[in-house]
Amino acid sequence: MRTQRQVVDYALQRRALLAQVYAGRVGTMEVCDANPYLLRAAKFHGEPSEVTCPVCRKEPVTTVSWVYGDELKHASGSARAPEELARMANLFEEFTVYVVEVCRTCGWNHLVLSYVLGSGGLDTPKTRRRTAAE
Ligand SMILES: [Zn+2]
């Protein structure tokens, strides 16, 4: 999405945790603890990914985007489909999106990415055009 900013990638933390799991230092019960709410969100608002579940390797993980922000009021803390995120990015100045991957087979779940969306803080097209013309 073109208004994404303050992107934080959690790939390192994910890899470190998985290394612990593969080494047997962290049990799969501890990391495959997706709660019913998350599984339900994955079913209704999730997007299929091309990443195979790193724990059970039975199916690709589903990614779920959670939105947080004061401006969102009651909608803060809910899961949203990609098309809704695009619409919300135009409606609100600023809100944070947390992308979580979840395996609907074994319950593995981990934060993958977070970023800020919204219409606030962007250069207006007019400013950019003037700069380009000079
Ligand atoms: Zn799995």
Side-chain angles (χ1 to χ4, degrees), residues 36-96:
Y37 188 58
L38 177 56
L39 290 171
R40 206 180 135 80
K43 186 173 174 187
F44 292 106
H45 307 284
E47 262 188 295
S49 77
E50 297 190 344
V51 178
T52 303
C53 173
V55 179
C56 73
R57 300 179 200 277
K58 284 190 182 132
E59 66 162 297
V61 294
T62 303
T63 56
V64 188
S65 298
W66 299 89
V67 295
Y68 289 89
D70 293 340
E71 257 186 285
L72 307 183
K73 307 244 161 41
H74 67 276
S76 182
S78 60
R80 297 287 150 166
E83 53 275 18
E84 288 178 281
L85 290 178
R87 196 172 52 85
M88 288 169 71
N90 294 321
L91 282 176
F92 300 102
E93 292 245 313
E94 189 172 297
F95 59 96
T96 306

